[in-house]
Amino acid sequence: MQDKDLILLSRLTCPHCGYSEVATMPTDACICFYECKGCGVLLKPQPGDCCVFCSYGSVKCPPLQQAHACCTNVHP
């Protein structure tokens, strides 16, 4: 997948309150924490995922879209 083919918008959905919003994923960093604007809970990656987009987003993070290892370690 070429950089121009990357999907950079992902809908994050809070598993606690159901609030969702579209967020832009960075191409040069993983987002390991994200505060829900609906309930204030700090979202963290689920075990086996590298970032909040891989856990709660509608689209996986750019490194995984490119079939590369993510930029951080996978969370146990």
Side-chain angles (χ1 to χ4, degrees):
M1 179 178 280
Q2 301 292 325
D3 284 350
K4 64 183 175 108
D5 297 328
L6 289 176
I7 300 168
L8 298 179
L9 295 178
S10 182
R11 177 168 295 280
L12 286 170
T13 302
C14 178
H16 300 279
C17 72
Y19 178 84
S20 70
E21 69 174 313
V22 174
T24 302
M25 296 182 284
T27 58
D28 60 348
C30 286
I31 303 297
C32 293
F33 302 102
Y34 194 87
E35 185 176 344
C36 174
K37 292 184 176 113
C39 67
V41 165
L42 188 63
L43 300 178
K44 300 173 190 171
Q46 294 178 343
D49 286 339
C50 61
C51 66
V52 294
F53 289 105
C54 288
S55 293
Y56 308 107
S58 59
V59 177
K60 299 291 185 189
C61 69
L64 290 184
Q65 289 180 48
Q66 294 176 306
H68 295 139
C70 198
C71 53
T72 62
N73 292 328
V74 173
H75 294 270

